[in-house]
Amino acid sequence: MTAEINKNRLFIASCLALTVTAMTFAIRAGILGQLSQNFALSDTELGWINAMAFLGFPIATMFGGLLYNFLGAKKLVLIAFVGHIIGLLLTMSAEGFWTLLISSFFIGFANGAVEAGCNPLITDMYHKNKTTMLNRFHVWFPGGIVIGALISKTMTDMSFGWQAQIAIMLIPTVIYGYLILSQKFPISENVETSTGTNIKALFSPLFLFMAFCMTLTATSELGTQQWIERILGASGASPMLIMAMITGVMAVGRYFAGPIITKFNPAGVLLYSAIVTTLGIYSMSIATGNMVYVSALLFALGVTYFWPTMIGFVAENIPQSGALGMSMLGGAGMFAVSMWNPVVGGWIDNARQQALAVNSTPEVAELAAGQATLANLSLFPLVLVFAFIGLVLFMRKQRLQQSAAVWHQIK
């Protein structure tokens, strides 16, 4: 039976599904301005629309993780396919705030189902190098954002409406749906499939610590990028080009993650990421003009390894958590982003009003709002610096204890 499984095609189908997930993220970021104008929406209302996409994600990963042992990867990814089709069609026909809210939830749910199905599938197929292959799979999140950002900018420059930008995503969605339907999936052999064991592992101190950290890594990465058009629009740089550059760097970095993960180990990579991300977001908060691109590059070098390395760390160091652990970790991250999105929108609205209150021009007020919001966002990775210093020290102590135990057995 194993001979009938085409791992390469399954990996390609998974990557294409993740590409669609990323395109929904990038194109939604690119059309926020159009949505605001067309439907007279405030940034706080846009924050709630964004929040629904990020809220649908953890709900899907929570249920997907719990049901993975029963449903399997194929059915979960097919659920994602149906969710993407419904969400995209509803978005195209949206007539205001509430329909945008509902359609965003469907898209977010589909995005979560992709993660819930594909992460454990890949760790099962490539169980001897989990973190490396998860990084290669997650190349296609930034890769899809590059594609989506460039499509959004090009179509906007050519005066295409936001509905056309949403419609373009139906093409890769149909392709990955066909690929999933036409492939045979493997039976899980290298992922813990006892749901009771999975749930017990979720309450281990190490998993709870990593789940807390995931809320901060996800908000540092996605909370910043989702609002890039609104917080950098007045900085003198092109927000969509910045997003394409950031995610292009992330895609290349993740593809070549293997040697870096091996040399510095996952905990060390996470500490590096937190330090560089803090410097990147803070520098964006004080930069204007071409220096914004330099700051954004620093930010990209920081957030590149956050998401896949967090999941890979749990897969390698808490294997008892199985598919549920990976899904719940991703869900924790996206749930946090959903909760912070309206807050970020509120920061932008409040900072703009404060700037206008002191007789700033609208352009200066937009710049001040974006910079103030970025300064607030830089606090998330700053907390992670201290958290990951603790993780590095803890893992070093664990390795020393394991080495001592092995040496004692040999003697």
Side-chain angles (χ1 to χ4, degrees):
M1 180 178 176
T2 305
E4 299 174 19
I5 306 298
N6 190 323
K7 290 183 180 181
N8 188 50
R9 285 189 181 180
L10 287 174
F11 187 76
I12 290 172
S14 299
C15 292
L16 191 54
L18 189 62
T19 301
V20 173
T21 291
M23 288 178 70
T24 68
F25 177 89
I27 290 177
R28 185 171 60 248
I31 65 174
L32 285 181
Q34 291 185 51
L35 294 177
S36 177
Q37 290 178 359
N38 287 12
F39 298 111
L41 301 172
S42 69
D43 282 301
T44 302
E45 287 174 317
L46 290 176
W48 282 109
I49 292 168
N50 282 342
M52 284 300 103
F54 289 105
L55 181 62
F57 187 105
I59 290 175
T61 56
M62 180 176 67
F63 285 106
L66 285 168
L67 296 175
Y68 182 89
N69 297 334
F70 174 70
L71 293 176
K74 185 169 187 173
K75 290 179 180 177
L76 282 174
V77 184
L78 286 176
I79 289 171
F81 167 68
V82 173
H84 274 139
I85 293 292
I86 294 173
L88 292 173
L89 292 176
L90 281 176
T91 302
M92 290 167 59
S93 59
E95 298 179 348
F97 175 74
W98 289 104
T99 43
L100 285 170
L101 208 69
I102 294 167
S103 63
S104 292
F105 178 84
F106 270 101
I107 290 174
F109 190 89
N111 293 345
V114 168
E115 287 271 338
C118 294
N119 280 329
L121 172 66
I122 289 166
T123 57
D124 188 36
M125 292 193 300
Y126 304 100
H127 60 280
K128 293 184 179 179
N129 52 344
K130 297 177 183 178
T131 303
T132 296
M133 291 308 294
L134 281 171
N135 267 281
R136 286 192 182 174
F137 166 55
H138 281 276
V139 160
W140 293 101
F141 189 77
I145 290 179
V146 171
I147 295 168
L150 293 178
I151 287 174
S152 180
K153 177 170 174 54
T154 301
M155 293 183 75
T156 300
D157 291 346
M158 294 174 67
S159 300
F160 280 93
W162 59 270
Q163 293 95 335
Q165 296 185 38
I166 297 295
I168 204 77
M169 290 185 280
L170 289 169
I171 298 171
T173 300
V174 170
I175 295 173
Y176 94 71
Y178 167 76
L179 287 174
I180 293 298
L181 281 167
S182 63
Q183 296 300 308
K184 176 170 279 189
F185 279 56
I187 297 173
S188 294
E189 296 177 347
N190 303 294
V191 175
E192 176 58 61
T193 56
S194 167
T195 304
T197 302
N198 296 160
I199 293 174
K200 184 178 179 181
L202 298 185
F203 293 94
S204 68
L206 183 57
F207 183 86
L208 293 173
F209 172 80
M210 294 304 291
F212 166 74
C213 290
M214 190 67 165
T215 66
L216 301 178
T217 61
T219 306
S220 300
E221 176 185 346
L222 302 176
T224 303
Q225 290 184 58
Q226 182 69 106
W227 287 93
I228 203 156
E229 193 269 340
R230 303 297 282 175
I231 59 182
L232 293 179
S235 65
S238 168
M240 286 297 99
L241 286 181
I242 288 175
M243 180 174 278
M245 181 191 73
I246 288 171
T247 49
V249 170
M250 290 172 67
V252 173
R254 287 180 180 180
Y255 186 81
F256 295 103
I260 297 172
I261 297 293
T262 301
K263 183 173 182 179
F264 295 104
N265 71 65
V269 171
L270 289 171
L271 175 58
Y272 147 83
S273 298
I275 294 170
V276 179
T277 300
T278 304
L279 295 174
I281 298 179
Y282 181 74
S283 63
M284 278 197 293
S285 76
I286 58 175
T288 55
N290 290 332
M291 285 306 296
V292 177
Y293 293 99
V294 178
S295 300
L297 178 61
L298 190 62
F299 168 76
L301 292 171
V303 298
T304 290
Y305 302 110
F306 263 157
W307 190 280
T309 304
M310 291 290 288
I311 293 174
F313 180 92
V314 167
E316 290 185 6
N317 294 283
I318 318 173
Q320 304 90 340
S321 64
L324 180 61
M326 288 178 273
S327 294
M328 295 301 285
L329 192 73
M334 284 296 191
F335 181 75
V337 178
S338 77
M339 293 296 99
W340 281 106
N341 254 302
V343 176
V344 174
W347 286 341
I348 297 173
D349 282 336
N350 292 335
R352 183 190 297 113
Q353 290 171 7
Q354 289 176 11
L356 290 171
V358 294
N359 298 320
S360 294
T361 64
E363 293 77 14
V364 172
E366 289 296 332
L367 177 62
Q371 291 184 332
T373 302
L374 284 165
N376 290 338
L377 285 167
S378 68
L379 297 175
F380 291 92
L382 181 61
V383 173
L384 285 167
V385 172
F386 298 98
F388 288 143
I389 287 174
L391 181 64
V392 167
L393 295 175
F394 173 77
M395 295 306 295
R396 185 177 298 169
K397 182 180 178 181
Q398 291 289 99
R399 286 194 296 272
L400 289 173
Q401 290 176 344
Q402 290 171 359
S403 298
V406 170
W407 176 248
H408 181 74
Q409 289 178 349
I410 294 173
K411 290 180 66 176

